[in-house]
Structure formats: C-alpha cells, structure tokens
Amino acid sequence: MRAARLIKMVLLLQSRPSMTAGELARELEVSERTITRDAQALSEAGVPVYADRGRTGGYRLIGGYRTRLTGLARGEAEALFLSGVPGALREMGLDDVSSAARLKVSAALLPSLRDASDTAAQRFHLDAPGWYQEPRTPELLPVVAEAVWGDRLLSARYLRRDAEVERRLAPYGLVLKAGVWYLCARACAENSFRVYRIDRFTAAEPMQERFSRLESFDLPAFWDERAAEFARSLLCAETVVRLTAEGARRLPHVTDRVAAYEALAAADPPDAAGLRTVTLPVESLDVAYDQLLALGPDAEILEPASLRTRFAETAERMRGLYGT
C-alpha cells in the first residue's frame, strides 16, 4: 500500500513544478504528516525530493529527475496496451506513431512485464462495425484527423441532402460509432457545435490557422447529448399497444430500448387480466409494424386504426396459411 503511494507521489511531483503538502495529502488521501514521512523515505531511497520552506513552499523534484515505468503491475501494463484501438488508429493514419509509442513503453517496462502487449492482444479485440455491414474507411479521415490533432481549422465541402455546402470548421474530436466515423466540430459561420459524418465530406483541407479550444468542451458528454437528441428525433410517430406480461418484457428488445422503458414506466398498472396499455413513440408506422409483429399474440395494436387494420389483415393471411 505504501509502495504504491510513494510511486504515485513521485509521478505527481514529476508532472507538476511543485506541490504543497496539503495538495499532496488531498491527492493521496493521507495526512500532511504522512506526506512529510513519505518525502523523507523517498529522499533516503535516492529520489531527489526537495522541500521549499515558507508559506509558498512545497515539494518538488530537482535535477530534472524522471522515473521509469518500473512501478507498473502486470494488470496495469496490460490495461495500458488496451487503451488504443489498433483499427481506428490505422484508419486515422496513426498506426506508425502508435507502434513507436508502444515500443518505447515496452522498452521502459521491467523484463517480466514486456510480454504485456502480447497477452493483452490475445485476450481482447474490438470489432467496432455491426454485423452484416461492410466497414469502409472514409478516404478523407486521415486529413480530418490531422486537423483534429493539430487544432487547425478545416476547410471542407460537405454533402447535405442533395446539395454540397462549404464549411469552415474548428474540428474538436472524432467519434467512431458502429463502424461509422463522425466529426464533432464548431461551424465558424454559425459559431455552433455540430456533428458531421466524415463519409459525406467531398473535400477537406487543414488550414494553417489554428483555433483555441474551449476548455469547457467535453467530447464524450457532447456526443452522448447529441446521440440522445438524434435518437429522439427519429421517433416522430406514435402507437398505442396492449401487452401481455411477456409482451411487456420483450418490448425493449424489439423497439427503441429507451422509448420502450419510458413508455412502460408511464403506463398504468396491469389490469385484472394482467394486460398493460402503453403509448409507444416509434420511427414510423412501417417500422412499428416490422418491430411489433415480432411480439405476435403478446401485443394488440389499439391505435392508430390504420396500423390495427394492417395487423388484422396479416393475421388473416397467417390463418389462411396455417388453417384452424
């Protein structure tokens, strides 16, 4: 326990010019007195920890001291090699950079840990695209990735519906979702953040001019919010369904999961026959037909009348096929 804390203390001091005893105590969740003892122990072990006295004093490493990564445990080393996604790095044109970095980390590890990259690769592989999809790497992805990594403005042409538009973008981040690459960027003309499918770019060129990133921008949070908005925007129709207990259980597995759970939560309790009536948002009545048909006799369409009639006609055709 103490050994791990000492290593973390050295890494903290290595990453910052100086830290007070109070700051170290908060980071390491110990008392300031423990920090004093730990600093003395490090000094006795040959780590050049220096204490500046006074109100503005603190602890720092002297002489440009840098620790090697010999404090990594096997699990930590293997997790480190899982942090990159080889396929995605290759598509962005970063395969050579990633390979060089892994070699440098491997060289810094203890000999007993140098097989961590191999053991991790043989135990975990990420295949991002969905089934029955042919993954295609957008031709302009490496160009867009170059602008993202360099914080350089991007001059681009983009297909929007049937028209091609020109955009000047501040590219903040890339997202790989189900085998499709997206760019989260600030459109300079509107000064608003938007999401662009990279396979719809017809031209892209990083500019010499750089942009200053907003420190408040959080890529994962932004993507989650926009993805949720997009999913909600698709649900532009509505149907009323009476479900058996089995139908209610299976509903989230055949329709939009979030919409199904919200519909079930808003529905009244089951009636005396154990049936529940839910109002379900759907993408379209055609989509609702395909999805709810999978529930068979565990779902009865009540509204709209056109969809109920369609199900009734399908039931008659099924009866004609299978008889009484």
Side-chain angles (χ1 to χ4, degrees):
M1 183 70 178
R2 190 190 186 197
R5 187 176 72 242
L6 292 175
I7 292 172
K8 187 174 181 180
M9 182 175 176
V10 174
L11 293 174
L12 285 170
L13 293 175
Q14 183 173 297
S15 64
R16 306 179 193 181
S18 176
M19 293 184 71
T20 66
E23 291 171 337
L24 286 168
R26 285 191 295 273
E27 288 279 358
L28 301 174
E29 299 180 349
V30 295
S31 67
E32 293 188 22
R33 180 169 294 182
T34 299
I35 294 298
T36 301
R37 289 197 297 266
D38 285 352
Q40 183 177 352
L42 287 171
S43 181
E44 292 173 354
V47 179
V49 178
Y50 182 79
D52 290 316
R53 306 297 180 183
R55 182 179 301 177
T56 59
Y59 292 94
R60 60 186 176 89
L61 294 174
I62 61 175
Y65 179 84
R66 307 289 293 180
T67 183
R68 299 181 68 190
L69 296 177
T70 51
L72 285 176
R74 169 165 293 278
E76 295 169 332
E78 291 175 348
L80 176 64
F81 286 100
L82 294 179
S83 62
V85 183
L89 291 170
R90 182 170 55 252
E91 291 178 4
M92 287 188 291
L94 299 175
D95 196 28
D96 290 342
V97 176
S98 172
S99 177
R102 286 165 180 261
L103 286 173
K104 290 179 180 179
V105 172
S106 295
L109 292 171
L110 287 172
S112 61
L113 299 180
R114 286 178 186 166
D115 65 339
S117 60
D118 295 329
T119 58
Q122 293 305 318
R123 286 163 175 79
F124 178 83
H125 174 69
L126 176 63
D127 185 8
W131 290 105
Y132 313 115
Q133 296 180 8
E134 182 66 29
R136 296 182 179 177
T137 303
E139 182 179 346
L140 294 172
L141 176 60
V143 177
V144 176
E146 178 187 346
V148 171
W149 289 115
D151 289 341
R152 294 168 60 185
L153 292 175
L154 186 70
S155 176
R157 290 201 302 272
Y158 184 81
L159 284 176
R160 190 177 63 182
R161 299 184 181 90
D162 296 329
E164 188 177 75
V165 297
E166 292 189 9
R167 289 288 182 266
R168 190 166 178 262
L169 305 172
Y172 270 67
L174 294 166
V175 175
L176 177 60
K177 170 72 172 179
V180 180
W181 284 94
Y182 297 88
L183 173 67
C184 301
R186 178 171 54 83
C188 297
E190 298 89 355
N191 195 29
S192 60
F193 283 93
R194 298 189 179 184
V195 176
Y196 302 86
R197 276 187 62 145
I198 295 182
D199 57 8
R200 292 181 183 170
F201 282 108
T202 58
E205 182 179 355
M207 304 172 65
Q208 293 299 319
E209 183 180 353
R210 299 180 184 273
F211 66 94
S212 298
R213 300 176 66 92
L214 293 175
E215 293 185 2
S216 59
F217 181 81
D218 184 326
L219 179 60
F222 172 79
W223 175 258
D224 287 345
E225 179 183 348
R226 290 304 172 93
E229 289 177 1
F230 177 72
R232 286 194 297 269
S233 72
L234 293 177
L235 305 178
C236 51
E238 197 172 77
T239 181
V240 180
V241 191
R242 182 182 291 134
L243 300 166
T244 65
E246 177 64 12
R249 184 189 69 80
R250 293 174 55 203
L251 184 65
H253 301 285
V254 300
T255 65
D256 181 88
R257 187 178 297 270
V258 175
Y261 281 127
E262 290 179 350
L264 289 168
D268 292 332
D271 61 18
L275 303 176
R276 300 183 68 182
T277 300
V278 302
T279 300
L280 179 70
V282 292
E283 185 174 340
S284 69
L285 295 184
D286 286 338
V287 171
Y289 172 81
D290 291 336
Q291 293 175 338
L292 297 176
L293 193 61
L295 297 180
D298 290 310
E300 178 189 359
I301 307 301
L302 302 180
E303 296 179 16
S306 60
L307 185 61
R308 181 178 175 85
T309 299
R310 188 174 177 182
F311 268 79
E313 292 171 348
T314 299
E316 283 298 318
R317 294 201 306 271
M318 294 283 286
R319 184 183 179 191
L321 288 174
Y322 295 101
T324 58

